[in-house]
């Protein structure tokens, strides 16, 4: 029986809660277009790429926009989001996040980031955790968005680790699907009812114990007392 060789963390919603900042920026744009955006709808945007998020928001209305108009809208939203990020500090790390990154390293495992955001490097800088990763893959480096497994597979490849020896850590349904499609153990962080497709769900990263994963046969499993 073997231990996992790598832990691959999602960023938004796992290490820091940017959902509210994305919401504020999207709501500003949507209000300008006369479209209502509530917190429940924002839940559906978690883990979803910038372009796809915009498409879902525009689908709330009936007007059609040209590709150039959509690019301009996405840029406007991103400028507002990046302004909001300026206030982010290490205090914005989610409970247990720093300890989880340190525990993964201390367990002798490789650590990577697999993010759907093009702003991942900026966010890591504000949080002061850029050095916590052996490799970072973000939306600038991949073609297909989650739930496609590309971002997780690219991280495993960069670490030279078999996907079956990786645990992918996600807060969003699209992200859990991406982890599973990559052939990794899917650890969900958040609400077990929402993340029912994950192999295991913990409420927050205080529940993350790297030594509790063992490879049995072709798959990693979670064992309560290794
Ligand atoms: C994901 C977020 O991590 O990144 C989504 O959960 C966001 O809400 C997506 O839309 C893209 O982020 P960005 O920073 O490239 O606009
Ligand atoms: Mg996320």
């Amino acid at each position: 029986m073997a231990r996992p060789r790598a832990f691959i963390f999602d960023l938004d919603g796992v290490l820091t809660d940017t959902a509210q900042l994305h919401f504020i920026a999207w709501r500003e744009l949507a209000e300008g277009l006369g479209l209502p955006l509530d917190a429940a709808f924002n839940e559906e945007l978690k883990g979803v790429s910038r372009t796809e998020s915009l498409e879902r928001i525009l689908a709330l209305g009936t007007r059609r926009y040209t590709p150039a108009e959509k690019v301009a809208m996405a840029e406007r939203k991103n400028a507002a989001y990046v302004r909001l990020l300026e206030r982010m500090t290490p205090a914005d790390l989610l409970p247990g996040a720093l300890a989880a990154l340190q525990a993964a390293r201390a367990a002798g495992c490789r650590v990577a980031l697999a993010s759907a955001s093009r702003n991942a490097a900026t966010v890591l800088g504000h949080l002061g955790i850029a050095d916590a990763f052996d490799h970072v893959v973000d939306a600038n480096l991949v073609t297909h968005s989650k739930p496609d497994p590309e971002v997780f597979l690219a991280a495993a490849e960069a670490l030279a680790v078999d996907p079956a020896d990786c645990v992918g850590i996600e807060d969003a349904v699209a992200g859990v699907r991406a982890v599973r499609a990559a052939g990794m153990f899917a650890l969900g962080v958040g609400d077990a009812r929402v993340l029912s497709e994950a192999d295991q769900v913990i409420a927050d990263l205080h529940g993350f114990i790297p030594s509790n994963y063992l490879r049995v046969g072709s798959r990693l499993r979670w064992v309560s007392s290794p």
Side-chain angles (χ1 to χ4, degrees), residues 8 135 137 141-142 149-160 184:
I8 305 180
H135 194 78
V137 185
L141 299 172
V142 296
E150 185 182 2
V151 67
F152 283 96
L153 290 174
E157 195 182 335
L159 298 176
M184 301 177 182

Side-chain angles (χ1 to χ4, degrees), residues 12 22 45-50 53 77 81 116-119:
D12 295 315
H22 279 294
L45 301 181
K46 286 186 178 173
V48 175
S49 75
R50 192 184 309 167
S53 298
K77 179 268 173 180
Y81 176 64
S117 171
R118 291 180 186 271
N119 294 298

Side-chain angles (χ1 to χ4, degrees), residues 21-99:
L21 305 183
H22 279 294
F23 180 53
I24 293 168
W26 280 129
R27 194 179 49 192
E28 199 177 296
L29 180 96
E31 276 174 1
L33 303 172
L35 300 173
L37 212 65
D38 59 21
F41 181 77
N42 193 46
E43 279 298 307
E44 292 174 32
L45 301 181
K46 286 186 178 173
V48 175
S49 75
R50 192 184 309 167
T51 313
E52 176 61 21
S53 298
L54 176 63
E55 292 293 349
R56 291 191 192 185
I57 291 165
L58 295 180
L60 295 171
T62 50
R63 220 188 119 180
R64 295 281 163 265
Y65 296 90
T66 64
E69 284 174 319
K70 289 180 189 175
V71 168
M73 284 180 206
E75 278 173 7
R76 227 165 51 234
K77 179 268 173 180
N78 192 54
Y81 176 64
V82 170
R83 267 199 308 279
L84 292 167
L85 286 181
E86 281 167 18
R87 280 179 245 153
M88 180 178 267
T89 72
D92 292 304
L93 279 162
L94 278 168
L98 190 59

Side-chain angles (χ1 to χ4, degrees), residues 10-14 46-47 146 170-172:
D10 171 47
L11 174 62
D12 295 315
V14 169
K46 286 186 178 173
K146 299 172 186 177
E170 266 288 349
D171 70 305

